[in-house]
Amino acid sequence: SDLGKTTLGTYMGTYDQVALVNSTATGEDTHGLSLTLNEAYSDGKYAHLTFSLEGASQETLGDLYYLGGKITASAEGESLEESHFSLFPEDETLLGAVSLPLNRSLEEGDTLDLHYEISDLVRYYDNGGAWETLSGSFAGSVTLTVDTSHNRILDSLENLGDVEITRVEVDRRSVV
């Protein structure tokens, strides 16, 4: 991919403020697997992360639909909501992204210290119809500077017949 940005599962790499971290996570009982945190970004409401996994055996890659896992994280020492994520095969590398909701909104320029652990790996194969667990876990951390410059709130909206829209909030993950 261009400039070291990931190509699958994320639009993140299109923004200048995305940190190209490329930091290898610490692994435990990983049987040769290596997880890298490639990109990281925070819009003040979420921490957006992209990962790549390398070193998978041909047995693991064979008929692989995707690799799933659980991610637990903390920001500023507070536990975040547990999430699940998927890594999809692209040649011999697996790529994926996850957006972790923060417990409180952060402001432009705030520093976010994020620690994560990935565990409960599951290999889905046969077009997702079969699965098996894989041993191992990974842990890592990253420090981000919050960028809220692309978040938008629209308060002045017109009524459209019977529908009244009073507010629209847009950030990089959702429109509310």
Side-chain angles (χ1 to χ4, degrees), residues 1 8 26 44 54-55 57 62 68 74 77 82 85 99 111 115-116 124-126 134 137 139 142 147 150 153 161:
S1 61
L8 181 73
T26 302
E54 295 185 336
S57 68
S74 64
E82 182 180 293
F85 75 105
S99 294
T111 299
H115 299 272
Y116 65 87
Y124 294 91
Y125 59 99
D126 193 20
L134 299 177
S137 64
V142 64
D147 171 34
H150 299 283
I153 296 176

Side-chain angles (χ1 to χ4, degrees), residues 30-35 53-58 60-61 92-94:
T30 63
H31 304 285
L33 297 175
S34 176
L35 183 78
L53 184 80
E54 295 185 336
S57 68
Q58 288 304 314
T60 299
L61 291 172
E92 293 186 3
T93 300
L94 305 178

Side-chain angles (χ1 to χ4, degrees), residues 50-133:
T50 65
F51 292 97
S52 62
L53 184 80
E54 295 185 336
S57 68
Q58 288 304 314
E59 180 181 331
T60 299
L61 291 172
D63 200 23
L64 179 67
Y65 189 56
Y66 70 92
L67 185 73
K70 175 179 78 172
I71 183 166
T72 53
S74 64
E76 305 305 319
E78 295 180 29
S79 293
L80 301 179
E81 182 180 323
E82 182 180 293
S83 294
H84 289 83
F85 75 105
S86 302
L87 297 168
F88 295 91
E90 186 171 292
D91 299 322
E92 293 186 3
T93 300
L94 305 178
L95 299 173
V98 65
S99 294
L100 302 171
L102 302 176
N103 292 337
R104 61 182 176 83
S105 293
L106 299 176
E107 300 297 323
E108 176 73 26
D110 284 352
T111 299
L112 174 64
D113 290 317
L114 183 78
H115 299 272
Y116 65 87
E117 182 174 329
I118 293 173
S119 61
D120 298 348
L121 300 175
V122 179
R123 175 184 174 262
Y124 294 91
Y125 59 99
D126 193 20
N127 288 321
W131 60 273
E132 65 182 350
T133 60

Side-chain angles (χ1 to χ4, degrees), residues 18-37:
V18 172
L20 298 176
V21 181
N22 296 318
S23 172
T24 302
T26 302
E28 183 176 313
D29 192 27
T30 63
H31 304 285
L33 297 175
S34 176
L35 183 78
T36 300
L37 171 62

